[in-house]
Amino acid sequence: MTTRFSNLQFNRTLVLFVLLLVWVLCALSLRFFYLQQISGYQNSINDQISQRVSMSSVMQAELIDKELSSLAANLKQIGVLSVHSPEQVASFAESLKKLNPTIWHLYLADSKGNITFSTKEGYHPPISVRDYFTEHTKNGLPKFYISSPRQSIIQESALYIAVSYPIRNAEEQFIGVVVATLKSDDLTDQLGNITKNKNISAMLTDRSGKLIWSSSLGEGQQKDDVYSLCRDHRYQASKEMGIHRIKLDNNAQCDFQFLEKWEMFSIVAENRVSAEQSIQQYQQEMFHRNIIILMAFTLLLFFLGNQLLKQIESRRLLAILNQRNKAIIDAMPDLLLTMREDGTIIDHEVQDNFPLMIAASKLNGMNLKDLLEPEMVDKKLALMAQTIDTGEPTTMEYPLMVNGEEYYFLERLTALDEKHVLACIIDITSRHEAESKLEWQAFHDGLTGLANRLMFFEFLNKLIHDYRRNTREFTILFIDLNGFKEINDNYGHHAGDEVLKHTAQQLSNILRQTDTVARLGGDEFAILLPETSSGQAKRVINTIAETIQQPIDYNGTSLSVTASIGMAACPHDATSADELLNVADKRMYEIKSSNR
């Protein structure tokens, strides 16, 4: 009896030991899987935040570079016009403001800081003490300068930054600056919807960390608030090019890229508060879940299927996270494609108004070869292979015909793994059309469509360079219309405009395709005749004179003008631009005086 009792006690002890051992093994297993799940969940959130912020930082840097490059080219153009064609500054500035909604106002100031032109009406105080003026006078800055954010004296709620460029004459002497002011809200709208996400903010700083622009600068802030932000938004940054990741003390994770051309950092930061709350919530849910599972293991040792429940719960929580990420991706512009290395599309996200060649529902499973021309497919596949091999993102711009209309797209490829890439595609058709229109306006006369003074001198310099290399002669003609002022005075400027357009059309019709005809201003025209001797040019002059004096009908009235034409031949008269122009101009006025 004692032996049986002892065996029973032993069996109980053994059972308790086995149960305890199973309980400990279950507890250790649960703890192990708990730590693995928490770690995996945290890594997944961190990687997704890092990818979002990294991609946003690079894309924003590219948009900022293109925006500032376009603005810089236009400021230089205004500076050139202010020296050579001041009468065209106002029309060019107004056209630029209409085509570029980011620009608030445009100014021209002389060497003392006095405003000589402005698109803003009213009184304009001197800007001689402004940093965007003093940087060019005191420090002799030869390039563009971008100021810190400031507020308008008149409109206290309007935050803006100023971009300036020095104007120099032919002797490289400083004679003033051209300034463009950009409202912070307008710049925020121009850079895309990502800056409006409540968890994501974007900013620009100079090399030292001084704030230039931030999407968090809203209307209604006082000047002290702006200066405080300038002090607080100082990020520790590397001077090396490329993307750098840091975690800030204010619980934000950010990526930024150094723009060498503009000596500034493009920073995009995402607040991690919601992510940390999601992780803490997941930890609490997993902790409570494992306590319940451990109690179930204690009561029911055979209940070993809890891992399946945890996996289902993990998938549910990951689905919630994926839904949140999908909502953030939907807020980003245009089209995202996930593709295999052979060009097969396996997933996509697209905005409703994005131009597609086929219905969005048919994209998944399609191959680029079924959608694009072979040349474009080969180029894209080569870039995809380069992206996967190097691990570095690649970017391309290209035109594409969609539903009979030409669109322009900016595409950025990022490697996801060894066989897949992510393509982010933005529709830049409007920007491309605006740039093309501005480029045409910069080199053509708005009334007649002929080349303007800038294009004329560019072609003249090319002909002089060609003569010095290949000894090819050419001739310049200066034309002044006689009787044009009387038509303007008697019939109005509209009649004068019709005469100018008719004259331009007639000149274009009788000249060769290799010749260049330009309107220099008013009723003055100039013509470049490549590979033409002075004898040949005289025959052209006779043809021009006969053609121009032919009358035109204006509202039942016959209007006519004549032409005084001066000629200069290279190398017979001179071999430099200034000398040739002086000779042609002098001869034109001699002929005009002799005809009076």
Side-chain angles (χ1 to χ4, degrees), residues 372-388:
L372 304 175
E373 296 294 331
E375 183 179 354
M376 178 63 71
V377 173
D378 293 341
K379 185 175 181 180
K380 284 202 172 192
L381 291 179
L383 281 178
M384 291 169 62
Q386 177 184 342
T387 302
I388 293 175

Side-chain angles (χ1 to χ4, degrees), residues 8 79 111 155 185 207 269 317 347 422 439 463 524 563:
L8 181 58
S111 59
Q155 298 175 328
D185 289 345
R207 185 185 292 270
L317 293 174
D347 193 16
L422 178 66
E439 183 179 358
L463 287 177
E524 293 184 350

Side-chain angles (χ1 to χ4, degrees), residues 205-210 212 235 237 239 258 260 263-265:
T205 70
D206 63 14
R207 185 185 292 270
S208 64
K210 183 179 179 183
I212 295 176
Y235 294 92
K239 295 182 180 179
F258 181 65
E260 187 69 28
E263 294 187 347
M264 65 173 63
F265 289 93

Side-chain angles (χ1 to χ4, degrees), residues 341-354:
E341 58 182 348
D342 63 353
T344 301
I345 302 171
I346 61 176
D347 193 16
H348 72 278
E349 297 288 343
V350 62
Q351 293 290 337
D352 294 337
N353 58 350
F354 187 80

Side-chain angles (χ1 to χ4, degrees), residues 40-259:
Y41 188 80
Q42 289 176 331
N43 292 337
S44 176
I45 288 182
N46 291 337
D47 289 343
Q48 291 167 5
I49 292 177
S50 179
Q51 290 177 3
R52 281 196 305 273
V53 178
S54 175
M55 180 181 295
S56 300
S57 174
V58 175
M59 291 185 63
Q60 179 164 284
E62 293 176 353
L63 291 175
I64 289 170
D65 179 68
K66 292 182 179 296
E67 181 72 19
L68 291 181
S69 295
S70 176
L71 179 61
N74 289 319
L75 288 183
K76 291 179 67 175
Q77 183 62 42
I78 292 177
V80 173
L81 289 176
S82 69
V83 175
H84 298 288
S85 302
E87 71 278 2
Q88 299 183 17
V89 170
S91 60
F92 185 83
E94 290 300 330
S95 299
L96 180 59
K97 281 191 62 179
K98 292 178 181 179
L99 293 172
N100 190 342
T102 308
I103 297 177
W104 188 21
H105 295 300
L106 291 166
Y107 302 91
L108 281 175
D110 60 20
S111 59
K112 296 181 179 180
N114 297 316
I115 300 298
T116 59
F117 168 79
S118 173
T119 58
K120 179 181 178 183
E121 298 180 356
Y123 169 74
H124 304 288
I127 62 171
S128 56
V129 296
R130 297 294 190 182
D131 57 351
Y132 50 83
F133 182 85
T134 57
E135 284 294 326
H136 298 294
T137 57
K138 295 181 180 179
N139 300 327
L141 187 67
K143 53 186 178 180
F144 293 93
Y145 176 75
I146 304 176
S147 72
S148 301
R150 58 184 73 245
Q151 288 180 308
S152 171
I153 297 176
I154 304 302
Q155 298 175 328
E156 285 296 320
S157 63
L159 295 167
Y160 70 93
I161 61 175
V163 182
S164 62
Y165 182 75
I167 304 174
R168 302 184 183 277
N169 58 20
E171 290 75 25
E172 290 300 311
Q173 295 175 338
F174 175 78
I175 60 173
V177 296
V178 55
V179 183
T181 58
L182 314 177
K183 288 182 69 174
S184 179
D185 289 345
D186 294 341
L187 185 58
T188 299
D189 294 338
Q190 191 75 0
L191 292 180
N193 293 329
I194 189 171
T195 57
K196 296 183 179 180
N197 187 294
K198 64 179 182 179
N199 290 324
I200 299 179
S201 60
M203 60 217 71
L204 299 176
T205 70
D206 63 14
R207 185 185 292 270
S208 64
K210 183 179 179 183
L211 182 68
I212 295 176
W213 165 82
S214 172
S215 61
S216 61
L217 292 177
E219 290 190 0
Q221 291 183 304
Q222 301 300 318
K223 290 183 178 180
D224 293 340
D225 296 327
V226 177
Y227 298 148
S228 174
L229 285 171
C230 290
R231 292 193 299 270
D232 295 340
H233 284 183
R234 290 182 177 271
Y235 294 92
Q236 181 181 358
S238 170
K239 295 182 180 179
E240 299 175 358
M241 291 188 65
I243 302 172
H244 310 272
R245 295 177 176 84
I246 59 175
K247 185 173 182 180
L248 307 178
D249 295 333
N250 61 350
N251 199 31
Q253 184 171 339
C254 79
D255 274 12
F256 55 93
Q257 190 172 38
F258 181 65
L259 304 178

Side-chain angles (χ1 to χ4, degrees), residues 389-562:
D389 292 341
T390 63
E392 297 293 330
T394 55
T395 303
M396 63 180 297
E397 291 187 16
Y398 54 89
L400 196 62
M401 297 297 297
V402 180
N403 299 328
E405 296 184 16
E406 186 177 46
Y407 291 84
Y408 285 82
F409 299 97
L410 171 65
E411 181 171 348
R412 180 177 179 81
L413 298 173
T414 304
L416 298 177
D417 53 36
E418 295 181 352
K419 294 185 178 181
H420 299 85
V421 297
L422 178 66
C424 182
I425 305 173
I426 299 176
D427 181 4
I428 59 171
T429 304
S430 298
R431 190 195 76 197
H432 185 273
E433 292 175 350
E435 290 174 352
S436 299
K437 187 173 182 179
L438 278 176
E439 183 179 358
W440 189 90
Q441 291 177 344
F443 292 98
H444 291 81
D445 177 54
L447 176 64
T448 63
L450 298 178
N452 62 9
R453 181 181 294 269
L454 290 177
M455 182 176 286
F456 174 79
F457 281 100
E458 182 177 334
F459 285 170
L460 174 58
N461 290 327
K462 288 182 179 179
L463 287 177
I464 292 175
H465 180 72
D466 187 45
Y467 165 73
R468 292 172 178 172
R469 292 186 58 185
N470 303 312
T471 320
R472 292 178 179 173
E473 58 183 350
F474 66 91
T475 303
I476 298 177
L477 303 182
F478 266 22
I479 304 174
D480 185 83
L481 300 182
N482 304 318
F484 177 77
K485 183 177 183 302
E486 288 75 9
I487 292 176
N488 261 343
D489 294 340
N490 296 328
Y491 300 98
H493 291 286
H494 185 268
D497 290 345
E498 291 300 317
V499 171
L500 292 175
K501 290 190 287 185
H502 177 75
T503 302
Q505 183 62 45
Q506 293 292 87
L507 290 175
S508 299
N509 291 339
I510 64 176
L511 294 175
R512 302 170 300 182
Q513 291 185 349
T514 56
D515 301 332
T516 299
V517 56
R519 182 189 174 205
L520 302 184
D523 59 349
E524 293 184 350
F525 296 83
I527 297 175
L528 294 175
L529 302 174
E531 300 184 11
T532 303
S533 65
S534 56
Q536 294 170 325
K538 290 178 180 179
R539 291 192 293 271
V540 176
I541 290 175
N542 293 332
T543 303
I544 292 174
E546 293 175 359
T547 302
I548 289 180
Q549 67 183 4
Q550 294 177 3
I552 67 170
D553 179 73
Y554 177 74
N555 294 335
T557 302
S558 178
L559 303 178
S560 63
V561 292
T562 59

